[in-house]
């Protein structure tokens, strides 16, 4: 290449880099676009505003906060190149077990009559430990037996749901204390989601934990050569994902004031969808919590918008599936483009 050609190519490459929007900004613009489309369709077909209804937006944010908590853990798993299909079932199992330690003595059918009126910290700790134990089982199987993450977490998906049903023979657990219920009242689920997101945004971006997580997902061989204990770190990542699924189960039960074995059904797919929509690559090594937060809100806006337009729930699932596939296709295209550069 001549000197003039090289000089001309450099400014061109610089201009291309400048024109490329940050991933999070691109996703945020998609969010704005979807919201505006619903606003226009609302006035056209319903005669109402989608964005100006504060009650609808509040309900939407509260609903997606639980998915968001799970998605923060799922994001870290996917960055390592793994997957977690068990989080929805862990939510159900955790909700059942934790709530059984949060029952009031005024409730006549307590699971443990001698363990009623306990401080809220007891069921919270129990729930977190149950979630972490599920994550530990996932991580140990994946790291030390080399079972593919899809199979290991699919096994936990089935087992955890079975435990949730077996725990009270399919009966719901109700009669919780006011102290435990408080966790799910007002904006507390949103606060929990945002605090969790902030903590792990900092952890992934500024700590050694984050560097190791990205390194394993980007190139496991290089990570091992550089001295990273891949097995131990993978266990840590899956424990955190299980812990956050447990936290989501606690918040879900506290909001509903009851726990049922069916809680959390489909949550794992919603969390994966929010993560992928938020720009996390299923091939590993790429992703940010900020993108996942925006992806979670996009998922919530879409679901709320479908309900607002009175679109049948079956169509919502079909569209959600298309969106997941489209997000993966875009990610594959983005990865190919990145490798060329």
């Amino acid at each position: 290449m001549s000197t003039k050609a090289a000089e001309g190519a450099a400014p061109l490459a610089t201009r291309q880099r400048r024109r490329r929007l940050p991933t999070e900004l691109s996703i945020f613009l998609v969010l704005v676009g979807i919201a505006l489309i619903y606003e226009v369709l609302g006035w056209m077909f319903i005669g109402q505003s989608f964005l100006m209804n504060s009650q609808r937006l509040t309900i939407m944010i509260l609903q997606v906060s639980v998915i968001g908590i799970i998605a923060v853990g799922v994001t870290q798993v996917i960055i390592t190149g793994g997957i977690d299909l068990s989080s929805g079932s862990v939510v159900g199992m955790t909700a059942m077990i934790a709530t059984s330690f949060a029952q009031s003595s005024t409730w006549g059918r307590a699971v443990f009559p001698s363990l009623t009126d306990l401080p809220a910290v007891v069921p919270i700790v129990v729930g977190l430990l149950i979630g972490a134990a599920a994550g530990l089982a996932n991580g140990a199987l994946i790291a030390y037996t080399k079972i593919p993450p899809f199979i290991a977490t699919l096994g936990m998906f089935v087992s955890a749901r079975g435990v949730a049903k077996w725990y009270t023979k399919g009966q719901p657990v109700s009669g919780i204390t006011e102290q435990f219920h408080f966790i799910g009242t007002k904006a507390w689920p949103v606060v929990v989601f945002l605090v969790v997101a902030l903590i792990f945004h900092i952890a992934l971006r500024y700590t050694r934990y984050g560097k190791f997580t990205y390194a394993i997902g980007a190139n496991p061989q290089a990570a091992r050569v550089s001295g990273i204990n891949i097995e131990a770190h993978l266990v840590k990542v899956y424990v955190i994902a299980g812990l956050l699924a447990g936290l989501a189960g606690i918040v879900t039960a506290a909001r509903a004031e009851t726990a049922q074995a069916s809680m959390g059904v489909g949550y794992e797919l919603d969390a994966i969808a929010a993560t992928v929509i938020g720009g996390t690559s299923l091939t590993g090594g790429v992703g940010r919590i900020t993108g996942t937060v925006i992806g979670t809100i996009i998922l919530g806006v879409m679901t709320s918008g479908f309900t607002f337009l009175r679109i049948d729930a079956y169509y919502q699932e079909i569209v959600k599936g298309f969106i997941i596939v489209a997000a993966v296709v875009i990610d594959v295209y983005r990865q190919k483009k990145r490798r060329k550069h």
Side-chain angles (χ1 to χ4, degrees):
M1 183 183 286
S2 66
T3 305
K4 286 185 177 180
E7 289 174 355
L12 178 62
T14 302
R15 285 197 300 271
Q16 287 176 339
R17 281 196 295 271
R18 284 175 182 170
R19 280 199 297 266
R20 195 179 302 150
L21 292 173
T23 304
E24 286 84 354
L25 180 56
S26 301
I27 300 165
F28 179 74
L29 291 177
V30 170
L31 169 61
V32 172
I34 292 172
L36 290 176
I37 288 171
Y38 280 131
E39 180 70 11
V40 172
L41 292 176
W43 284 114
M44 287 176 61
F45 297 106
I46 309 296
Q48 296 178 14
S49 170
F50 174 71
L51 294 173
M52 294 298 112
N53 189 316
S54 58
Q55 185 178 6
R56 181 185 299 111
L57 296 178
T58 301
I59 292 171
M60 179 201 75
I61 293 171
L62 285 170
Q63 287 175 337
V64 300
S65 59
V66 171
I67 299 299
I69 293 168
I70 301 170
V72 170
V74 170
T75 298
Q76 297 170 70
V77 167
I78 294 178
I79 288 173
T80 65
I83 197 74
D84 188 357
L85 300 177
S86 67
S87 52
S89 295
V90 173
V91 166
M93 177 176 67
T94 302
M96 292 293 286
I97 297 174
T99 306
S100 69
F101 290 91
Q103 290 184 290
S104 170
S105 57
T106 58
W107 185 253
R109 290 176 288 137
V111 177
F112 303 112
S114 60
L115 295 175
T116 54
D117 294 329
L118 295 174
V121 68
V122 175
I124 291 172
V125 170
V126 168
L128 293 177
L129 288 175
I130 294 297
L136 177 62
N138 283 335
L141 283 171
I142 293 163
Y144 295 109
T145 69
K146 308 305 178 186
I147 295 176
F150 180 90
I151 300 300
T153 59
L154 181 62
M156 182 57 70
F157 166 86
V158 177
S159 298
R161 187 64 66 189
V163 170
K165 293 175 181 177
W166 160 83
Y167 190 69
T168 59
K169 303 298 184 290
Q171 296 299 312
V173 182
S174 304
I176 64 173
T177 62
E178 284 297 321
Q179 197 178 24
F180 183 74
H181 173 53
F182 179 77
I183 304 166
T185 58
K186 299 179 182 179
W188 283 112
V190 180
V191 172
V192 172
F193 168 40
L194 294 179
V195 169
V196 166
L198 178 61
I199 289 170
F200 286 101
H201 169 72
I202 294 170
L204 283 177
R205 192 158 188 181
Y206 301 108
T207 69
R208 191 168 64 169
Y209 167 82
K211 291 182 176 67
F212 286 4
T213 302
Y214 284 109
I216 291 170
N219 192 328
Q221 296 286 18
R224 191 179 297 279
V225 169
S226 65
I228 297 174
N229 187 333
I230 293 177
E231 287 75 20
H233 193 79
L234 282 176
V235 170
K236 192 182 298 182
V237 170
Y238 279 92
V239 166
I240 289 171
L243 188 81
L244 292 180
L247 178 60
I250 292 166
V251 173
T252 301
R255 274 195 69 203
E257 297 186 72
T258 186
Q260 298 182 19
S262 60
M263 277 181 166
V265 171
Y267 281 16
E268 65 282 337
L269 297 181
D270 286 343
I272 292 170
T275 301
V276 174
I277 291 169
T280 300
S281 173
L282 286 172
T283 58
V286 176
R288 288 186 179 180
I289 298 298
T290 47
T292 296
V293 171
I294 300 171
T296 302
I297 297 172
I298 287 176
L299 204 62
V301 167
M302 288 184 57
T303 303
S304 180
F306 281 136
T307 304
F308 169 64
L309 295 175
R310 301 182 178 89
I311 296 175
D312 193 275
Y314 300 119
Y315 296 119
Q316 296 182 27
E317 297 300 322
I318 293 170
V319 173
K320 194 183 294 182
F322 277 120
I323 289 169
I324 295 172
V325 173
V328 174
V329 170
I330 292 169
D331 174 60
V332 170
Y333 173 76
R334 191 188 297 128
Q335 297 304 319
K336 285 182 179 178
K337 196 171 180 181
R338 185 179 285 114
R339 282 194 290 269
K340 285 180 182 178
H341 289 290

